[in-house]
């Protein structure tokens, strides 16, 4: 896969509500009787969702976000897909695999006990006719709150050779969709690193074949709220790259790749996204429009020196990979 084309589109001036309303998934309010049992445990109920299924700011202060990782999640969250997704399903486009893919593990809780703001990630996988896809594997990976990826087999650009990060395999995992095309993960909100907006990588495969590799994002206002006010996240100062200035996604297309989110009564975040994959491998792919570019750097920061020799600042795959055109090695 070629690198995304740069785009000089000016930043979007939009509030959280305006941005999320543009996502296009017309989810009706989730009945309280239909709850997500897989994320966390317990039977707590949640604030109602809006008609568009977007985040409702009920006036609860930012400090009500939970900390302590997935161990503090009570679960019983509303099902954001309870009322369906309508009849128009736009194909999820490709974005770079990036250099930070590493061996994954089959598991729901991908945090390995790492601290952070707990997040329940819910995905619905459908084809272009909006038909749910059972038996699809959803492989995700993202940076820890401190901005580092994990794994001894990950590039040192991604771990900064940090001993704890190298020894861990936090924030990596794969799950298989159920009969309804659903899959969930327990994780923590990702951290930022220089040159990239906050993001989560994913690959969807069917029968071992890669159908789409791309990235998802969070609303800038939500990113800033967490990075600037929440414990652990606020220790590093403001991030240097926003959605509008990212080098992977353009400012005018990022809205299609945003999670929808809602704060739960236990302080955890429920984040969800419908991913639309090709009906067959013969169908044409599409490419996420590239961004205008952020500042050079990498996980943990490198004094502005940029990526290591041979690296590309997160714009392309690690050596030996094929740009996301096929499944990464096991």
């Amino acid at each position: 896969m070629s690198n995304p084309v740069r785009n000089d589109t000016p930043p979007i001036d939009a509030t959280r509500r305006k941005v999320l309303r543009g996502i296009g998934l017309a989810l009706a309010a989730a009945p309280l009787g239909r709850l997500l049992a897989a994320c966390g445990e317990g039977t707590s109920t949640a604030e109602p969702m809006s008609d568009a299924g977007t985040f409702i700011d009920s006036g609860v202060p930012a400090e009500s976000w939970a900390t302590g990782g997935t161990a503090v999640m009570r679960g019983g969250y509303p099902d954001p897909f309870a009322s369906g997704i309508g009849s128009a399903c736009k194909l999820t486009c490709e974005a770079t695999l990036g250099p930070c893919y590493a061996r994954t593990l089959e598991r729901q809780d991908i945090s390995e006990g790492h601290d952070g703001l707990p997040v329940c990630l819910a995905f619905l996988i459908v084809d272009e006719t909006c038909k749910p896809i059972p038996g699809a594997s959803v492989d995700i990976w993202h940076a820890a709150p401190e901005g580092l990826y994990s794994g001894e087999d990950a590039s040192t650009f991604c771990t900064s050779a940090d001993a704890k990060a190298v020894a861990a395999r936090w924030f990596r995992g794969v799950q298989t969709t159920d009969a309804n095309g659903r899959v969930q993960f327990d994780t923590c909100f990702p951290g930022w690193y220089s040159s990239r907006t906050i993001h989560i990588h994913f690959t969807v495969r069917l029968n071992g074949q890669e159908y789409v590799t791309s990235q998802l994002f969070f609303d800038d206002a939500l990113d800033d709220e967490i990075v600037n006010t929440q414990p652990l996240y606020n220790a590093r100062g403001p991030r240097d790259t926003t959605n509008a200035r990212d080098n992977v996604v353009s400012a005018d297309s990022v809205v299609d790749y945003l999670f929808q989110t809602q704060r739960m009564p236990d302080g955890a975040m429920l984040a969800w996204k419908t991913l639309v994959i090709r009906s067959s491998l013969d169908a044409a792919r599409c490419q996420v429009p590239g961004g205008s570019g952020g500042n050079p750097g990498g996980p943990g920061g490198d004094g502005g020196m940029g990526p290591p020799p041979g690296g590309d600042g997160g714009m392309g795959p690690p050596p030996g990979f094929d740009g996301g055109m096929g499944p990464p090695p096991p």
Side-chain angles (χ1 to χ4, degrees):
M1 180 189 303
S2 60
N3 290 340
V5 177
R6 290 186 179 275
N7 185 302
D8 294 326
T9 305
I12 295 173
D13 181 14
T15 65
R16 176 190 304 165
R17 288 180 184 274
K18 290 179 181 177
V19 170
L20 293 180
R21 281 174 185 149
I23 290 177
L25 293 179
L27 299 176
L32 290 180
R34 300 191 63 176
L35 304 175
L36 283 175
C39 286
E41 296 180 355
T43 57
S44 62
T45 58
E47 300 172 18
M49 294 183 183
S50 71
D51 289 341
T54 58
F55 184 96
I56 293 178
D57 188 346
S58 60
V60 179
E63 55 265 30
S64 67
W65 286 115
T67 190
T70 60
V72 305
M73 297 170 72
R74 296 204 306 269
Y77 308 141
D79 180 356
F81 307 112
S83 298
I85 59 171
S87 59
C89 289
K90 181 180 178 181
L91 188 66
T92 299
C93 294
E94 301 273 349
T96 179
L97 178 74
C100 297
Y101 187 87
R103 180 174 56 86
T104 192
L105 296 171
E106 185 174 351
R107 55 187 178 177
Q108 177 187 311
D109 189 331
I110 66 174
S111 69
E112 293 190 355
H114 199 295
D115 198 2
L117 192 161
V119 178
C120 172
L121 290 179
F123 295 97
L124 173 63
I125 312 301
V126 302
D127 64 18
E128 290 176 275
T129 68
C130 301
K131 178 183 177 181
I133 305 297
S137 74
V138 181
D139 188 353
I140 70 171
W141 64 103
H142 65 79
E146 61 267 37
L148 299 177
Y149 288 84
S150 64
E152 82 285 345
D153 52 336
S155 166
T156 55
F157 169 75
C158 305
T159 63
S160 290
D162 178 86
K164 288 184 179 179
V166 169
R169 200 148 294 271
W170 58 51
F171 307 118
R172 301 182 182 277
V174 62
Q175 289 277 280
T176 301
T177 57
D178 62 17
N180 299 312
R182 291 284 307 279
V183 68
Q184 282 111 228
F185 294 91
D186 295 351
T187 188
C188 295
F189 194 81
W192 67 272
Y193 56 89
S194 184
S195 83
R196 287 302 317 277
T197 192
I198 293 174
H199 61 283
I200 290 179
H201 295 265
F202 70 89
T203 291
V204 179
R205 303 184 185 94
L206 272 175
N207 301 316
Q209 299 294 312
E210 183 252 345
Y211 274 65
V212 63
T213 293
S214 196
Q215 300 177 26
L216 295 172
F217 311 91
F218 298 87
D219 177 41
D220 270 330
L222 180 62
D223 285 342
D224 287 338
E225 175 187 319
I226 292 170
V227 167
N228 295 334
T229 68
Q230 298 307 301
L232 187 61
Y233 299 89
N234 63 4
R236 300 177 58 223
R239 59 202 177 108
D240 64 13
T241 307
T242 64
N243 293 343
R245 298 188 63 246
D246 191 57
N247 54 23
V248 168
V249 63
S250 67
D252 58 352
S253 63
V254 69
V255 66
D256 292 327
Y257 298 89
L258 292 178
F259 282 104
Q260 293 177 274
T261 61
Q262 183 176 352
R263 184 188 294 124
M264 298 291 99
D266 61 3
M269 179 186 298
L270 173 61
W272 65 96
K273 186 68 177 174
T274 297
L275 303 176
V276 183
I277 66 173
R278 297 171 290 158
S279 55
S280 78
L281 290 176
D282 294 329
R285 298 172 184 257
C286 57
Q287 183 79 27
V288 173
S292 59
N295 301 321
D302 60 2
M305 295 300 293
D312 61 1
M315 289 299 294
F321 283 14
D322 60 2
M325 295 301 292

